[in-house]
């Protein structure tokens, strides 16, 4: 038992020492930690993959549990009738200016009419679908792929909301339709959209909880572009990936500090810390790859543009994927 506790505490102290050295190297010496790590000095630092994953989890946990996203669920709408009732509860006249004449003109605008017209059309469409679900679904099978997918999602959404369909098996039996991967995916998408409509806060919370793992699908792809930009350098793809891990870790450290400052002092410091990271990233690229200022600026702008494009693309894919699996 004594040997066990000795080993446990020695491992803990050793990790604390690595953590402190990693943090000091990241914060004070841009690019130095990656150079040391790929040169074989790995014992002194924490594993870059685990370190980044830990920081990402901590940051998104802070955002998730202090964001009160569950409050958004109160705005969830279970049916079109609920939304129509919400519109009917709105006050008919709201003073938005100090000019009575202008207020009167604003009040005269039939702001509800478009919503009611939309709901009426939606109800008609739903009634047509539910009048003969099997025949309507068979017509969808004759459409082009993209159009068919969109209409199938709409069909399954209507069946979930209006016809007491709880899973795909219910739809297969009740509507006598074939079981296929396409039908499974479109049903999952419709189910995800219904969940989003009914509980938007829970959807956002689930989305945020998965973000740490998305980072590790995104960074390896981004590292390919870093490797191509610096292909004449001696560094391998893995070396460039470790460089991106270390810099992203520093980004999460700054985001955590910024979030805590904002939460405690009720200020907005995100812009300041992102500016600090921008300067840090430039210095890290300059010192790690050892190129002149002009080349570093060009590659810095190019890689950040690629990063932004990949981030937008990954966000869209991730959001769509979360709809299918929610």
């Amino acid at each position: 038992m004594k040997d066990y506790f000795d080993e446990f505490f020695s491992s803990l102290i050793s990790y604390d020492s690595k953590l402190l050295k990693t943090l000091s190297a990241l914060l004070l010496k841009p690019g130095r930690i990656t150079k040391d790590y790929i040169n074989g000095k790995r014992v002194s630092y924490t594993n870059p993959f685990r370190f980044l994953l830990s920081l990402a989890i901590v940051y998104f946990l802070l955002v998730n549990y202090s964001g009160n996203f569950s409050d958004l669920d109160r705005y969830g709408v279970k049916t079109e009738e609920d939304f129509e009732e919400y519109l009917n509860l709105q006050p008919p006249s709201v003073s938005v200016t100090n000019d009575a004449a202008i207020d009167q003109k604003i009040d005269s605008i039939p702001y509800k009419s478009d919503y009611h017209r939309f709901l009426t059309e939606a109800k008609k469409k739903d009634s047509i679908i539910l009048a003969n679900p099997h025949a309507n679904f068979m017509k969808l099978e004759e459409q082009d792929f993209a159009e068919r997918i969109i209409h199938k999602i709409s069909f399954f959404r209507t069946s979930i909301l209006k016809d007491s369909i709880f899973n795909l098996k219910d739809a297969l039996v009740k509507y006598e339709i074939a079981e296929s991967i396409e039908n499974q995916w479109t049903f999952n998408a419709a189910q995800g959209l219904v969940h989003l409509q009914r509980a938007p806060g829970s959807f956002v919370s689930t989305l945020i909880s998965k973000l740490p793992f998305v980072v590790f699908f995104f960074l390896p792809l981004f590292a390919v572009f870093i490797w191509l930009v610096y292909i004449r350098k001696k560094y391998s793809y893995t070396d460039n990936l470790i460089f991106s891990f270390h810099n992203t870790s520093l980004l999460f450290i700054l985001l955590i500090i910024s979030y805590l400052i904002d939460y405690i002092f009720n200020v907005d410091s995100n812009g300041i810390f992102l500016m600090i990271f921008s300067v840090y990233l430039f210095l890290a690229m300059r010192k790690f790859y050892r190129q002149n200022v002009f080349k570093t600026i060009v590659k810095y702008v190019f890689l950040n543009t690629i990063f932004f494009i990949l981030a937008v693309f990954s966000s869209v894919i991730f959001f769509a994927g979360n709809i299918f699996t929610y």
Side-chain angles (χ1 to χ4, degrees):
M1 184 64 71
K2 181 178 179 299
D3 293 339
Y4 171 79
F5 279 109
D6 287 343
E7 184 174 348
F8 173 78
F9 284 111
S10 63
S11 299
L12 187 63
I13 292 170
S14 175
Y15 181 79
D16 286 345
S17 176
K18 288 182 179 181
L19 180 61
L20 290 173
K21 191 165 185 178
T22 300
L23 288 173
S24 63
L26 270 177
L27 293 169
L28 303 176
K29 301 175 181 178
R32 174 66 179 275
I33 186 173
T34 307
K35 189 173 289 291
D36 287 347
Y37 198 87
I38 65 177
N39 286 335
K41 300 177 182 179
R42 304 183 178 186
V43 179
S44 303
Y45 302 109
T46 58
N47 182 287
F49 175 84
R50 294 177 184 173
F51 186 59
L52 175 57
L53 179 61
S54 300
L55 289 170
I57 290 174
V58 169
Y59 175 70
F60 289 118
L61 279 176
L62 285 172
V63 173
N64 203 354
Y65 287 102
S66 61
N68 296 321
F69 295 111
S70 59
D71 290 345
L72 295 175
D73 287 342
R74 70 178 65 182
Y75 302 108
V77 179
K78 292 181 173 56
T79 64
E80 282 84 356
E81 287 77 10
D82 291 340
F83 184 57
E84 191 167 12
E85 182 181 355
Y86 169 78
L87 288 176
N88 291 330
L89 289 174
Q90 301 308 302
S93 177
V94 179
S95 179
V96 294
T97 74
N98 294 323
D99 191 318
I102 295 177
D103 284 341
Q104 188 176 2
K105 290 181 180 179
I106 292 175
D107 293 339
S108 67
I109 298 174
Y111 70 96
K112 295 180 186 177
S113 61
D114 291 339
Y115 293 106
H116 286 301
R117 191 180 301 115
F118 169 78
L119 291 175
T120 301
E121 293 298 323
K123 288 177 183 178
K124 288 181 181 178
K125 182 180 178 182
D126 292 346
S127 63
I128 292 172
I129 290 175
L130 297 177
N132 192 341
H134 175 76
N136 280 290
F137 192 85
M138 290 301 101
K139 289 180 181 178
L140 301 182
E141 297 288 4
E142 301 172 0
Q143 297 177 349
D144 293 335
F145 177 76
E147 187 179 11
R148 184 172 72 245
I149 294 298
I150 294 172
H151 287 163
K152 278 188 175 183
I153 292 174
S154 177
F155 175 92
F156 284 129
R157 179 181 174 277
T158 299
S159 67
I160 293 170
L161 289 172
K162 300 293 183 65
D163 206 19
S164 302
I165 297 296
F166 296 98
N167 52 54
L168 180 61
K169 186 177 179 180
D170 292 343
L172 297 179
V173 174
K174 192 169 185 177
Y175 303 147
E176 299 178 350
I177 58 180
E179 183 176 3
S180 67
I181 295 176
E182 182 179 295
N183 289 341
Q184 179 69 64
W185 284 1
T186 51
F187 183 87
N188 289 346
Q191 201 168 43
L193 288 171
V194 171
H195 289 161
L196 172 59
Q197 173 183 328
R198 290 175 172 173
S202 300
F203 178 83
V204 172
S205 181
T206 303
L207 198 72
I208 292 174
S209 68
K210 296 177 181 179
L211 285 175
F213 306 99
V214 176
V215 172
F216 293 97
F217 290 97
F218 168 74
L219 285 181
L221 179 59
F222 179 60
V224 172
F225 289 91
I226 301 177
W227 175 68
L228 290 173
V229 166
Y230 288 102
I231 198 168
R232 293 185 178 182
K233 291 290 181 179
K234 62 180 180 179
Y235 300 120
S236 65
Y237 166 79
T238 304
D239 297 337
N240 289 286
L241 181 60
I242 293 172
F243 177 75
S244 66
F245 278 174
H246 282 144
N247 288 294
T248 309
S249 295
L250 189 277
L251 173 61
F252 276 111
I253 290 172
L254 295 177
L255 288 175
I256 290 170
I257 295 172
S258 173
Y259 192 86
L260 292 175
I261 291 175
D262 294 352
Y263 185 78
I264 295 171
F265 299 103
N266 195 25
V267 296
D268 186 5
S269 61
N270 277 336
I272 296 173
F273 281 94
L274 288 175
M275 190 178 298
I276 292 173
F277 176 73
S278 300
V279 175
Y280 177 94
L281 181 60
F282 177 81
L283 294 175
M285 291 175 63
R286 178 97 164 82
K287 293 183 178 180
F288 181 70
Y289 293 107
R290 295 187 177 278
Q291 290 190 329
N292 60 50
V293 174
F294 178 75
K295 285 186 177 180
T296 303
I297 290 175
V298 172
K299 293 180 179 181
Y300 176 88
V301 172
F302 174 76
L303 287 174
N304 275 283
T305 303
I306 294 296
F307 183 91
F308 177 77
I309 294 171
L310 290 177
V312 172
F313 178 76
S314 300
S315 299
V316 172
I317 296 297
F318 175 59
F319 183 84
N322 208 58
I323 289 287
F324 278 88
T325 59
Y326 181 53

